[in-house]
Amino acid sequence: MRNDLHIRPITPHLGAEVTGIDLRAAPEAMMDTVRTAFADHSVLFFPGQKLSPDELLHVTGRFGEVLLVPYVKGMDSHPDIIAVLKEADEKRISTFGGTWHTDFSFLPEPPDATLLQAVELPPVGGDTIWANQYLAYDSLSAGMQKLLDPLHAVHTGWPHGTMGPGPDAAVSKSIKMTRNDPSADREVLHPVVRIHPVTGRKALFVNPVYTQRFAEMSAAESKPLLDFLHMHCTRPEFQCRLTWRDGMLVMWDNRSTMHLAINDYDGHRRLLHRTTVKGAVPVGV
Ligand code: SIN
């Protein structure tokens, strides 16, 4: 593959396609341009990468420290990689990532970034959507921003969405959750508005899977405002969408986006390899 870098925005505010780069071997100066594009666009699509598991780990390491994700079993051969899989015969079930969320926001140090490599795709469907949480914050009224700026919210790994074995979720058996570890259910406080350490911009940081309530408020008291924020955060004009193609690699920023895997491809197998880049304690306003 030639190193002839081209960066093309997908929407005015979120996502860019990056071509003309071999991420395995690109020189550091070119990687710096990609890192700047990542800060500018939050989601990068890299068509035609087709990375083996070892190559995916190597490329992930070029963006930061690879995180061994807790509570989900990695591949036997590569524990740092999660095989995001739904088999063709798994029908009418929840899938991994099938509700709007930010990856593992219930960790004290949620991952900065996630990489996802297409391995086997359904003939049609199984798209992924992201929503820009800078825009979600910026488009709120000054009064609402002032209200939210000092707040913290409680996140826990016990989902009330469809990410895992919650009370009513029949989840793909192809993803091995190991969350019978009570530490996943502990309450972790994060700022509702976080400052991105690279861009300095403010982003909303709540999501319907892991955010339970505002700190020092009951769930019932928190619900009306959280419901509003969850609806607001995913407005279509904040989104970009990927229709996966063979060989596509995607990287997204969990500090400035939420995402959703669309579960519309029953009867077909979908397999992607997923790595994460270690993060830090989110900093509030
Ligand atoms: C995820 O949420 O990490 C999975 C996204 C996808 O399968 O498209």
Side-chain angles (χ1 to χ4, degrees), residues 82-132:
I82 296 173
V84 177
L85 170 65
K86 190 173 92 154
E87 292 285 8
D89 62 359
E90 294 186 294
K91 296 185 183 167
R92 300 178 65 114
I93 56 162
S94 299
T95 49
F96 189 77
T99 300
W100 282 104
H101 67 286
T102 309
D103 287 331
F104 288 79
S105 70
F106 62 94
L107 296 179
E109 296 180 343
D112 279 354
T114 303
L115 285 83
L116 202 55
Q117 168 72 63
V119 178
E120 197 175 332
L121 299 171
V124 64
D127 291 4
T128 307
I129 310 181
W130 291 263
N132 183 326

Side-chain angles (χ1 to χ4, degrees), residues 163-237:
M163 284 284 288
D168 53 3
V171 187
S172 170
K173 290 189 181 50
S174 303
I175 303 273
K176 301 278 182 289
M177 296 286 184
T178 53
R179 288 207 339 236
N180 45 1
D181 179 338
S183 70
D185 301 336
R186 80 195 140 164
E187 298 194 336
V188 171
L189 279 189
H190 287 312
V192 168
V193 179
R194 70 183 290 185
I195 311 269
H196 194 289
V198 178
T199 64
R201 293 183 66 185
K202 292 181 186 177
L204 278 179
F205 194 61
V206 290
N207 68 82
V209 173
Y210 299 124
T211 310
Q212 307 283 344
R213 57 185 166 79
F214 295 110
E216 299 176 61
M217 292 189 208
S218 69
E221 288 166 339
S222 307
K223 190 173 182 321
L225 184 50
L226 278 179
D227 283 351
F228 163 75
L229 289 176
H230 293 152
M231 213 171 56
H232 169 80
C233 281
T234 57
R235 275 168 39 181
E237 63 270 35

